[in-house]
């Protein structure tokens, strides 16, 4: 079945519950009379509730209806927040300078409004010391806590330990202006 509603001659039922162009109830009428009313008022007969008994049909300008619903869908998509998850991989025995570099990447991602999945990869004997990875993740979370929060606590997943950081909600422009003047 298509997602498009059936219109005019495509409606194949003996009678419909008819709704007028301004939303008023006309009542249950035979399909021929409903089509005649649609032609007289220069509108389309559109089946709005095909599963009802009898199906509900409305008199409307179908082209205008389709255009307006496309505009609403477009507006809804525009207002959606697109969440992107960036991933940073670390090792438990990371050099301090390398840690700072990776922390800088996490800071950049959080400032851009992206989520960050921090993965610590354990190899060989490192697997017997998961507390090293846990401490490293805690240190990273503490270092970036003004930019983001821990969305999912560190958890062991086979040879890896994973934690997800999410950005704090963005402040409005007026809220930032008030902070700078205070």
């Amino acid at each position: 079945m298509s997602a498009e509603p059936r219109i005019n001659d495509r409606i194949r039922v003996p009678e419909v519950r008819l709704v007028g162009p301004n939303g008023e109830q006309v009542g249950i009428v035979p399909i021929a009379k409903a089509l005649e009313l649609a032609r007289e008022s220069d509108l389309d007969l559109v089946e709005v509730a095909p599963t009802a008994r009898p199906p509900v049909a409305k008199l409307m300008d179908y082209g205008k209806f389709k255009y307006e619903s496309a505009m609403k869908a477009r507006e809804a998509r525009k207002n959606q927040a697109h969440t992107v998850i960036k991933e940073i991989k670390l090792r438990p025995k990371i050099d301090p300078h390398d840690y700072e570099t990776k922390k800088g990447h996490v800071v950049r991602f959080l400032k851009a409004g992206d989520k960050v999945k921090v993965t610590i990869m354990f190899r060989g004997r490192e697997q017997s010391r998961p507390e090293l990875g846990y401490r490293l993740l805690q240190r990273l979370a503490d270092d970036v806590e003004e930019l983001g929060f821990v969305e999912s606590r560190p958890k062991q997943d086979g040879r890896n330990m994973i934690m997800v950081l999410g950005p704090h909600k963005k402040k409005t422009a007026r809220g930032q202006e008030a902070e700078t003047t205070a």
Side-chain angles (χ1 to χ4, degrees):
M1 293 217 33
S2 78
E4 295 285 312
R6 293 187 293 188
I7 60 170
N8 297 333
D9 296 327
R10 294 202 173 127
I11 301 173
R12 299 276 181 217
V13 289
E15 58 186 20
V16 292
R17 183 177 303 273
L18 189 62
V19 178
N22 299 323
E24 70 276 0
Q25 292 284 336
V26 176
I28 297 174
V29 296
I31 192 71
K33 186 169 185 339
L35 286 169
E36 185 182 314
L37 287 170
R39 270 192 290 279
E40 285 174 8
S41 55
D42 200 29
L43 294 170
D44 296 308
L45 183 66
V46 181
E47 192 175 44
V48 291
T51 57
R53 291 286 166 240
V56 179
K58 185 173 181 179
L59 295 173
M60 67 172 78
D61 183 354
Y62 185 65
K64 183 178 175 185
F65 166 75
K66 202 169 171 184
Y67 173 77
E68 287 173 352
S69 63
M71 288 298 110
K72 282 180 190 171
R74 187 172 166 197
E75 194 66 29
R77 274 196 307 276
K78 192 168 79 172
N79 292 335
Q80 272 183 340
H82 299 286
T83 56
V84 178
I85 297 181
K86 303 283 189 170
E87 185 172 12
I88 293 287
K89 293 188 175 185
L90 306 169
R91 294 286 312 280
K93 297 178 184 170
I94 189 169
D95 185 67
H97 181 266
D98 293 340
Y99 171 79
E100 291 300 319
T101 303
K102 296 285 189 172
K103 184 179 87 173
H105 294 312
V106 171
V107 166
R108 187 179 75 222
F109 295 149
L110 289 173
K111 281 184 179 175
D114 298 329
K115 291 182 181 183
V116 183
K117 177 181 173 184
V118 185
T119 304
I120 295 193
M121 301 173 294
F122 295 98
R123 283 197 197 140
R125 290 184 182 170
E126 292 172 348
Q127 291 179 47
S128 64
R129 303 280 308 278
E131 66 276 1
L132 293 176
Y134 185 79
R135 275 193 299 225
L136 185 61
L137 289 174
Q138 284 303 121
R139 180 174 148 208
L140 181 64
D142 292 341
D143 289 348
V144 298
E145 80 180 318
E146 68 275 353
L147 296 171
F149 64 98
V150 177
E151 201 167 275
S152 77
R153 309 281 331 146
K155 58 180 172 273
Q156 190 81 28
D157 179 28
R159 293 176 160 235
N160 301 327
M161 185 175 281
I162 298 168
M163 173 178 77
V164 178
L165 298 169
H168 288 304
K169 298 290 180 228
K170 295 238 190 313
K171 295 179 182 175
T172 61
R174 277 185 246 131
Q176 288 176 341
E177 287 171 10
E179 276 186 17
T180 54
T181 57

